Amino acid sequence: MRRIALHTRLKPGREHEYDDVHATIPAELAAAIRAAGVHGWWIWRDGLDLFHLVEVEDYRRMRDELRDHPANVAWQARMAALLDVTDDYSGTDSGLALVWALPTAADRAPS
């Protein structure tokens, strides 16, 4: 299992619309995301900046599987109207670089 951090940015003035759209994720999209190996996905917003944490079995495989999925294609088209950057959904990125972490109890080896 990997944790992938991502950063995206909203177009100015689209904050409330983005929040409203995310109040209910389409069931078909949620099912496709889970089937692609995602165990959890969290998004935090600070003004226009969005920070995602994705717990996924294989990030590139997930991107490959979702790229042409009809539910994801429709969702990405909707997000393109709200986001400041264009994402070709290539899956060639590897997320944000981890600088530091305080390990959880599960991450620490027994002494």
PDB file of all heavy atoms in Angstrom, residues 2-20:
ATOM      1  N   ARG A   2       0.543   2.190  -0.830  1.00  0.00           N
ATOM      2  CA  ARG A   2       1.302   3.444  -0.890  1.00  0.00           C
ATOM      3  C   ARG A   2       0.402   4.608  -0.542  1.00  0.00           C
ATOM      4  O   ARG A   2      -0.795   4.571  -0.804  1.00  0.00           O
ATOM      5  CB  ARG A   2       1.852   3.648  -2.302  1.00  0.00           C
ATOM      6  CG  ARG A   2       2.916   2.624  -2.633  1.00  0.00           C
ATOM      7  CD  ARG A   2       3.869   3.054  -3.708  1.00  0.00           C
ATOM      8  NE  ARG A   2       4.364   4.412  -3.528  1.00  0.00           N
ATOM      9  CZ  ARG A   2       4.710   5.204  -4.525  1.00  0.00           C
ATOM     10  NH1 ARG A   2       4.623   4.789  -5.761  1.00  0.00           N
ATOM     11  NH2 ARG A   2       5.157   6.417  -4.301  1.00  0.00           N
ATOM     12  N   ARG A   3       1.003   5.629   0.007  1.00  0.00           N
ATOM     13  CA  ARG A   3       0.319   6.904   0.230  1.00  0.00           C
ATOM     14  C   ARG A   3       0.895   7.887  -0.779  1.00  0.00           C
ATOM     15  O   ARG A   3       2.101   8.099  -0.821  1.00  0.00           O
ATOM     16  CB  ARG A   3       0.571   7.421   1.637  1.00  0.00           C
ATOM     17  CG  ARG A   3      -0.060   6.580   2.696  1.00  0.00           C
ATOM     18  CD  ARG A   3       0.215   7.173   4.068  1.00  0.00           C
ATOM     19  NE  ARG A   3      -0.159   6.219   5.081  1.00  0.00           N
ATOM     20  CZ  ARG A   3       0.570   5.969   6.149  1.00  0.00           C
ATOM     21  NH1 ARG A   3       1.689   6.614   6.368  1.00  0.00           N
ATOM     22  NH2 ARG A   3       0.158   5.078   7.028  1.00  0.00           N
ATOM     23  N   ILE A   4       0.021   8.476  -1.565  1.00  0.00           N
ATOM     24  CA  ILE A   4       0.424   9.438  -2.577  1.00  0.00           C
ATOM     25  C   ILE A   4      -0.206  10.779  -2.222  1.00  0.00           C
ATOM     26  O   ILE A   4      -1.418  10.856  -2.009  1.00  0.00           O
ATOM     27  CB  ILE A   4      -0.051   9.008  -3.992  1.00  0.00           C
ATOM     28  CG1 ILE A   4       0.481   7.626  -4.348  1.00  0.00           C
ATOM     29  CG2 ILE A   4       0.314  10.051  -5.034  1.00  0.00           C
ATOM     30  CD1 ILE A   4       1.964   7.549  -4.565  1.00  0.00           C
ATOM     31  N   ALA A   5       0.610  11.826  -2.150  1.00  0.00           N
ATOM     32  CA  ALA A   5       0.106  13.175  -1.921  1.00  0.00           C
ATOM     33  C   ALA A   5       0.114  13.922  -3.248  1.00  0.00           C
ATOM     34  O   ALA A   5       1.069  13.809  -4.032  1.00  0.00           O
ATOM     35  CB  ALA A   5       0.980  13.901  -0.904  1.00  0.00           C
ATOM     36  N   LEU A   6      -0.972  14.638  -3.504  1.00  0.00           N
ATOM     37  CA  LEU A   6      -1.108  15.391  -4.747  1.00  0.00           C
ATOM     38  C   LEU A   6      -1.511  16.829  -4.419  1.00  0.00           C
ATOM     39  O   LEU A   6      -2.118  17.089  -3.378  1.00  0.00           O
ATOM     40  CB  LEU A   6      -2.191  14.762  -5.638  1.00  0.00           C
ATOM     41  CG  LEU A   6      -2.033  13.284  -5.964  1.00  0.00           C
ATOM     42  CD1 LEU A   6      -3.306  12.747  -6.598  1.00  0.00           C
ATOM     43  CD2 LEU A   6      -0.846  13.081  -6.899  1.00  0.00           C
ATOM     44  N   HIS A   7      -1.185  17.734  -5.329  1.00  0.00           N
ATOM     45  CA  HIS A   7      -1.584  19.128  -5.182  1.00  0.00           C
ATOM     46  C   HIS A   7      -2.239  19.567  -6.484  1.00  0.00           C
ATOM     47  O   HIS A   7      -1.706  19.335  -7.561  1.00  0.00           O
ATOM     48  CB  HIS A   7      -0.365  20.010  -4.888  1.00  0.00           C
ATOM     49  CG  HIS A   7      -0.678  21.466  -4.905  1.00  0.00           C
ATOM     50  ND1 HIS A   7      -0.309  22.288  -5.945  1.00  0.00           N
ATOM     51  CD2 HIS A   7      -1.337  22.248  -4.015  1.00  0.00           C
ATOM     52  CE1 HIS A   7      -0.722  23.512  -5.686  1.00  0.00           C
ATOM     53  NE2 HIS A   7      -1.344  23.525  -4.524  1.00  0.00           N
ATOM     54  N   THR A   8      -3.413  20.135  -6.375  1.00  0.00           N
ATOM     55  CA  THR A   8      -4.083  20.744  -7.519  1.00  0.00           C
ATOM     56  C   THR A   8      -4.546  22.129  -7.084  1.00  0.00           C
ATOM     57  O   THR A   8      -4.508  22.471  -5.891  1.00  0.00           O
ATOM     58  CB  THR A   8      -5.276  19.899  -8.017  1.00  0.00           C
ATOM     59  OG1 THR A   8      -6.142  19.599  -6.929  1.00  0.00           O
ATOM     60  CG2 THR A   8      -4.798  18.602  -8.655  1.00  0.00           C
ATOM     61  N   ARG A   9      -4.954  22.924  -8.048  1.00  0.00           N
ATOM     62  CA  ARG A   9      -5.353  24.297  -7.750  1.00  0.00           C
ATOM     63  C   ARG A   9      -6.647  24.627  -8.484  1.00  0.00           C
ATOM     64  O   ARG A   9      -6.820  24.281  -9.649  1.00  0.00           O
ATOM     65  CB  ARG A   9      -4.234  25.245  -8.174  1.00  0.00           C
ATOM     66  CG  ARG A   9      -4.439  26.663  -7.727  1.00  0.00           C
ATOM     67  CD  ARG A   9      -3.122  27.426  -7.786  1.00  0.00           C
ATOM     68  NE  ARG A   9      -3.309  28.823  -7.491  1.00  0.00           N
ATOM     69  CZ  ARG A   9      -3.381  29.331  -6.266  1.00  0.00           C
ATOM     70  NH1 ARG A   9      -3.253  28.540  -5.234  1.00  0.00           N
ATOM     71  NH2 ARG A   9      -3.558  30.618  -6.085  1.00  0.00           N
ATOM     72  N   LEU A  10      -7.527  25.309  -7.778  1.00  0.00           N
ATOM     73  CA  LEU A  10      -8.807  25.714  -8.347  1.00  0.00           C
ATOM     74  C   LEU A  10      -8.672  27.005  -9.144  1.00  0.00           C
ATOM     75  O   LEU A  10      -7.807  27.833  -8.868  1.00  0.00           O
ATOM     76  CB  LEU A  10      -9.829  25.958  -7.233  1.00  0.00           C
ATOM     77  CG  LEU A  10     -10.328  24.745  -6.487  1.00  0.00           C
ATOM     78  CD1 LEU A  10     -11.164  25.177  -5.289  1.00  0.00           C
ATOM     79  CD2 LEU A  10     -11.124  23.847  -7.400  1.00  0.00           C
ATOM     80  N   LYS A  11      -9.577  27.173 -10.096  1.00  0.00           N
ATOM     81  CA  LYS A  11      -9.718  28.459 -10.762  1.00  0.00           C
ATOM     82  C   LYS A  11     -10.337  29.416  -9.742  1.00  0.00           C
ATOM     83  O   LYS A  11     -11.205  29.019  -8.951  1.00  0.00           O
ATOM     84  CB  LYS A  11     -10.625  28.332 -11.979  1.00  0.00           C
ATOM     85  CG  LYS A  11     -10.017  27.509 -13.092  1.00  0.00           C
ATOM     86  CD  LYS A  11     -10.983  27.374 -14.257  1.00  0.00           C
ATOM     87  CE  LYS A  11     -10.350  26.541 -15.355  1.00  0.00           C
ATOM     88  NZ  LYS A  11     -11.282  26.292 -16.463  1.00  0.00           N
ATOM     89  N   PRO A  12      -9.901  30.663  -9.729  1.00  0.00           N
ATOM     90  CA  PRO A  12     -10.473  31.626  -8.777  1.00  0.00           C
ATOM     91  C   PRO A  12     -11.996  31.705  -8.919  1.00  0.00           C
ATOM     92  O   PRO A  12     -12.549  31.674 -10.020  1.00  0.00           O
ATOM     93  CB  PRO A  12      -9.819  32.955  -9.187  1.00  0.00           C
ATOM     94  CG  PRO A  12      -8.532  32.546  -9.843  1.00  0.00           C
ATOM     95  CD  PRO A  12      -8.850  31.255 -10.557  1.00  0.00           C
ATOM     96  N   GLY A  13     -12.659  31.771  -7.766  1.00  0.00           N
ATOM     97  CA  GLY A  13     -14.104  31.888  -7.734  1.00  0.00           C
ATOM     98  C   GLY A  13     -14.857  30.570  -7.825  1.00  0.00           C
ATOM     99  O   GLY A  13     -16.079  30.553  -7.774  1.00  0.00           O
ATOM    100  N   ARG A  14     -14.144  29.445  -7.937  1.00  0.00           N
ATOM    101  CA  ARG A  14     -14.805  28.142  -8.089  1.00  0.00           C
ATOM    102  C   ARG A  14     -14.797  27.314  -6.805  1.00  0.00           C
ATOM    103  O   ARG A  14     -15.199  26.155  -6.805  1.00  0.00           O
ATOM    104  CB  ARG A  14     -14.116  27.323  -9.203  1.00  0.00           C
ATOM    105  CG  ARG A  14     -14.025  28.004 -10.560  1.00  0.00           C
ATOM    106  CD  ARG A  14     -15.326  28.578 -11.091  1.00  0.00           C
ATOM    107  NE  ARG A  14     -16.272  27.650 -11.629  1.00  0.00           N
ATOM    108  CZ  ARG A  14     -16.408  27.324 -12.902  1.00  0.00           C
ATOM    109  NH1 ARG A  14     -15.619  27.842 -13.810  1.00  0.00           N
ATOM    110  NH2 ARG A  14     -17.337  26.470 -13.273  1.00  0.00           N
ATOM    111  N   GLU A  15     -14.359  27.921  -5.698  1.00  0.00           N
ATOM    112  CA  GLU A  15     -14.213  27.184  -4.442  1.00  0.00           C
ATOM    113  C   GLU A  15     -15.517  26.535  -3.977  1.00  0.00           C
ATOM    114  O   GLU A  15     -15.537  25.344  -3.651  1.00  0.00           O
ATOM    115  CB  GLU A  15     -13.700  28.112  -3.315  1.00  0.00           C
ATOM    116  CG  GLU A  15     -12.353  28.727  -3.588  1.00  0.00           C
ATOM    117  CD  GLU A  15     -12.430  30.092  -4.267  1.00  0.00           C
ATOM    118  OE1 GLU A  15     -13.423  30.385  -4.974  1.00  0.00           O
ATOM    119  OE2 GLU A  15     -11.485  30.873  -4.086  1.00  0.00           O
ATOM    120  N   HIS A  16     -16.586  27.302  -3.905  1.00  0.00           N
ATOM    121  CA  HIS A  16     -17.849  26.759  -3.390  1.00  0.00           C
ATOM    122  C   HIS A  16     -18.426  25.710  -4.336  1.00  0.00           C
ATOM    123  O   HIS A  16     -18.972  24.700  -3.882  1.00  0.00           O
ATOM    124  CB  HIS A  16     -18.842  27.880  -3.117  1.00  0.00           C
ATOM    125  CG  HIS A  16     -18.390  28.800  -2.032  1.00  0.00           C
ATOM    126  ND1 HIS A  16     -18.261  28.409  -0.721  1.00  0.00           N
ATOM    127  CD2 HIS A  16     -17.995  30.094  -2.071  1.00  0.00           C
ATOM    128  CE1 HIS A  16     -17.808  29.407   0.004  1.00  0.00           C
ATOM    129  NE2 HIS A  16     -17.634  30.451  -0.790  1.00  0.00           N
ATOM    130  N   GLU A  17     -18.274  25.937  -5.622  1.00  0.00           N
ATOM    131  CA  GLU A  17     -18.766  24.954  -6.591  1.00  0.00           C
ATOM    132  C   GLU A  17     -18.011  23.637  -6.442  1.00  0.00           C
ATOM    133  O   GLU A  17     -18.602  22.560  -6.466  1.00  0.00           O
ATOM    134  CB  GLU A  17     -18.609  25.511  -8.007  1.00  0.00           C
ATOM    135  CG  GLU A  17     -19.230  24.655  -9.070  1.00  0.00           C
ATOM    136  CD  GLU A  17     -19.131  25.291 -10.452  1.00  0.00           C
ATOM    137  OE1 GLU A  17     -18.649  26.428 -10.580  1.00  0.00           O
ATOM    138  OE2 GLU A  17     -19.538  24.613 -11.407  1.00  0.00           O
ATOM    139  N   TYR A  18     -16.688  23.725  -6.243  1.00  0.00           N
ATOM    140  CA  TYR A  18     -15.878  22.524  -6.047  1.00  0.00           C
ATOM    141  C   TYR A  18     -16.341  21.772  -4.799  1.00  0.00           C
ATOM    142  O   TYR A  18     -16.527  20.559  -4.826  1.00  0.00           O
ATOM    143  CB  TYR A  18     -14.398  22.898  -5.934  1.00  0.00           C
ATOM    144  CG  TYR A  18     -13.484  21.712  -5.778  1.00  0.00           C
ATOM    145  CD1 TYR A  18     -12.976  21.044  -6.889  1.00  0.00           C
ATOM    146  CD2 TYR A  18     -13.120  21.246  -4.516  1.00  0.00           C
ATOM    147  CE1 TYR A  18     -12.141  19.951  -6.752  1.00  0.00           C
ATOM    148  CE2 TYR A  18     -12.282  20.147  -4.373  1.00  0.00           C
ATOM    149  CZ  TYR A  18     -11.799  19.507  -5.497  1.00  0.00           C
ATOM    150  OH  TYR A  18     -10.970  18.422  -5.353  1.00  0.00           O
ATOM    151  N   ASP A  19     -16.537  22.510  -3.711  1.00  0.00           N
ATOM    152  CA  ASP A  19     -16.994  21.888  -2.465  1.00  0.00           C
ATOM    153  C   ASP A  19     -18.357  21.228  -2.668  1.00  0.00           C
ATOM    154  O   ASP A  19     -18.585  20.104  -2.220  1.00  0.00           O
ATOM    155  CB  ASP A  19     -17.080  22.918  -1.344  1.00  0.00           C
ATOM    156  CG  ASP A  19     -15.717  23.447  -0.912  1.00  0.00           C
ATOM    157  OD1 ASP A  19     -14.679  22.932  -1.364  1.00  0.00           O
ATOM    158  OD2 ASP A  19     -15.706  24.413  -0.120  1.00  0.00           O
ATOM    159  N   ASP A  20     -19.264  21.918  -3.345  1.00  0.00           N
ATOM    160  CA  ASP A  20     -20.607  21.383  -3.580  1.00  0.00           C
ATOM    161  C   ASP A  20     -20.565  20.113  -4.429  1.00  0.00           C
ATOM    162  O   ASP A  20     -21.268  19.141  -4.138  1.00  0.00           O
ATOM    163  CB  ASP A  20     -21.494  22.426  -4.266  1.00  0.00           C
ATOM    164  CG  ASP A  20     -21.879  23.570  -3.345  1.00  0.00           C
ATOM    165  OD1 ASP A  20     -21.681  23.456  -2.109  1.00  0.00           O
ATOM    166  OD2 ASP A  20     -22.358  24.599  -3.867  1.00  0.00           O
TER     167      ASP A  20
END
